[in-house]
């Protein structure tokens, strides 16, 4: 090919590779590119520049470094809110992952076309990109409903997953070498093996994600039990203390009568204050008229109060609630966990959390407000900070997932040092929506 042909080839080739990496970033890491006009224009200019350099067809080790630098630069432009270290590691993983799949598909297509004596590099590359893109999109579609569980997968799995892919590539290569000079039946077997290996590589990931989902559901089930257990224990404690007070109330009345007769009114006032304080402690039970939600809120009330944080709950929930308990616990517990963490980190500021419930004939509304310190970058319902990019607010992603099951909405606001999460749910069984 002439210079123009080389330029167009590399422009399309590496442009598509960037698209594939972006898909991998979205699918595996939940990182959506910042596709502003400025970033797209700058990325386009970089792509043209590097395509021009590759079009010169000067092959030496420097070009490998140039190729890697190009990909990192493009990713940095599209994901400028993340740290260099995080982008570097994820970019390396994405490049290896894509190249493993690309190599498997490329070898399979080359062998199939070679059997029919078709030798056309452009056709091979085109078919390879189509199949790889379809594979990535299909995987992405399967994962998008369970993206919060993808982020729970360990780094060790990602490393092992690459080794499995490399082993699959070697197996596939050996199969095509063995069947290269055989008949049509061997070709069919080779194609079946190729498709099977590619499907197996995708299924390993999907099974791992499903396993993480089961672990998370088990964790929530255990949390239900803990919440219910502690709530019942607290109710028993409160009832026992109330009984003790009732048993002694005549003695308290006698003591107050004596103080009144002696006109020790200041002592009477202190005595009454002490009784009121203790009696109030026995009756600190928050209710929003829904027993399951009451159990969760009172569990967190005890937890939050021990941290010296004011927790104010107002409003009511419907007594008959069609939201599944699993989803209610996911929403409320994640909101309060996030709020508690934010307030605890607000060392020099106010320490309080406010939760409000209300409902009508169709909808249930839940709002949580708390002060916070520092700068928040909210993107795609995830909280990202410059200081800690590992904590991306995946709790909110879990909340969003549960909210969407009921055709609901979640809105996040920050203003005047306050962090607000506003949630609306359709009060219907999710199976009937």
């Amino acid at each position: 090919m002439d210079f123009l042909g080389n330029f167009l080839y590399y422009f399309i080739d590496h442009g598509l590779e960037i698209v594939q990496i972006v898909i991998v970033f979205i699918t595996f890491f939940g990182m959506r590119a910042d596709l502003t006009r400025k970033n797209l224009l700058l990325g386009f200019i970089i792509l043209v520049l590097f395509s021009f350099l590759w079009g010169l067809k000067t092959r030496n080790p420097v070009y490998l470094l140039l190729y890697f630098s190009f990909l990192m630069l493009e990713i940095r432009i599209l994901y400028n809110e993340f740290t260099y270290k995080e982008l570097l590691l994820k970019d390396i993983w994405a490049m290896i992952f894509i190249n493993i799949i690309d190599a498997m598909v490329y070898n399979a297509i080359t062998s199939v076309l070679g059997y029919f004596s078709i030798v056309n590099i452009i056709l091979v590359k085109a078919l390879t990109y189509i199949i790889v893109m379809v594979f990535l999109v299909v995987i992405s579609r399967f994962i998008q409903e369970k993206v919060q569980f993808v982020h729970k997968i360990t780094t060790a799995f990602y490393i092992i997953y690459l080794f499995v892919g490399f082993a699959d590539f070697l197996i596939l290569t050996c199969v095509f070498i063995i069947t290269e000079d055989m008949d049509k039946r061997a070709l069919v077997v080779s194609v079946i093996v190729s498709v099977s290996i590619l499907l197996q590589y995708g299924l390993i990931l999907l099974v791992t994600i499903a396993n993480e989902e089961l672990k998370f559901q088990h964790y929530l089930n255990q949390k239900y039990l803990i919440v219910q257990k502690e709530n019942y224990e607290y109710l028993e404690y409160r009832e026992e203390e109330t009984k003790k007070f009732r048993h002694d109330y005549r003695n308290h009345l006698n003591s107050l009568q004596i103080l009144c007769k002696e006109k020790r009114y200041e002592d009477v006032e202190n005595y009454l204050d002490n009784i009121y304080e203790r009696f109030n402690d026995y009756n600190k039970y928050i209710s929003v008229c829904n027993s399951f939600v009451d159990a969760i809120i009172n569990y967190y009330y005890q937890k939050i109060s021990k941290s010296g944080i004011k927790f104010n709950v107002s409003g009511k929930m419907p007594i008959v609630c069609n939201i599944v308990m699993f989803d209610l616990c996911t929403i409320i517990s994640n909101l309060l966990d996030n709020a508690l963490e934010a307030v605890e980190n607000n060392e020099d500021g106010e320490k309080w959390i406010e939760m409000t419930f209300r409902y009508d004939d169709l909808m249930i509304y839940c709002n949580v407000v708390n002060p916070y310190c520092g700068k928040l970058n909210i993107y795609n319902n995830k909280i990202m900070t410059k200081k800690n990019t590992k904590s991306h607010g995946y709790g909110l992603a879990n909340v969003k997932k549960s909210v969407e099951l009921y055709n609901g909405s979640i809105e996040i606001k920050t203003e005047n040092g306050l962090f607000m999460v506003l949630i609306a749910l359709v009060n219907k069984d999710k199976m009937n929506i």
Side-chain angles (χ1 to χ4, degrees), residues 83-123:
T83 62
Y84 284 101
K85 181 180 178 181
E86 183 178 16
L87 286 178
L88 176 64
L89 295 175
K90 287 179 168 55
D91 190 31
I92 292 173
W93 190 90
M95 287 169 56
I96 297 173
F97 173 72
I98 290 171
N99 277 284
I100 286 173
I101 299 172
D102 185 87
M104 285 194 287
V105 175
Y106 184 89
N107 280 0
I109 292 174
T110 301
S111 297
V112 172
L113 294 182
Y115 179 84
F116 296 102
S117 301
I118 300 174
V119 181
N120 188 319
I121 185 66
I122 301 298
L123 178 61

Side-chain angles (χ1 to χ4, degrees), residues 151-184:
H151 307 301
K152 298 179 183 295
I153 297 175
T154 62
T155 303
F157 169 80
Y158 281 112
I159 296 173
I160 293 171
Y161 193 57
L162 291 183
F163 278 106
V164 171
F166 184 68
D168 286 342
F169 166 70
L170 293 179
I171 293 171
L172 196 57
T173 301
C174 291
V175 169
F176 281 111
I177 290 174
I178 294 171
T179 60
E180 184 176 4
D181 299 323
M182 295 186 182
D183 58 13
K184 188 176 181 179

